[in-house]
Amino acid sequence: NPAFAGLWSLGAGGSEFGDEGVERFCRAARFERLTMLDVSRARFGSAGAKALAAWPGAAHLQWLDVSGNNLGAAGAKALIASPHLTNLK
């Protein structure tokens, strides 16, 4: 929805997206100023973490909460190595 493009904060903690939901979100989400994203307890694993890591829309994020998910080593490494998550504080 274009009306959400100006959001700077999005709380989706506990949303139970799962890997597929995170992957769909990253394919479709178009935010111009999103600086805070809470996807804690969203029941995703390494595939969802990899989708977040590859998402160009994460470039403006300064705060990202992925706690309470089962990212695994591969998902954690993908987030750490992401070229789009360099502005996290």
Side-chain angles (χ1 to χ4, degrees):
N1 187 329
F4 295 123
L7 285 179
W8 60 270
S9 177
L10 179 60
S15 61
E16 300 187 15
F17 278 165
D19 286 321
E20 185 179 326
V22 173
E23 291 167 345
R24 277 188 283 161
F25 171 83
C26 291
R27 279 194 305 271
R30 302 289 182 259
F31 296 102
E32 298 168 0
R33 294 180 277 185
L34 192 65
T35 59
M36 300 174 68
L37 178 61
D38 176 4
V39 286
S40 62
R41 305 169 326 281
R43 295 187 179 226
F44 64 90
S46 62
K50 289 176 183 178
L52 280 173
W55 179 43
H60 296 289
L61 290 180
Q62 295 179 19
W63 185 85
L64 173 64
D65 188 351
V66 294
S67 64
N69 293 295
N70 189 15
L71 306 180
K77 287 178 183 178
L79 291 171
I80 290 167
S82 173
H84 305 295
L85 295 172
T86 58
N87 288 319
L88 294 179
K89 304 225 183 238

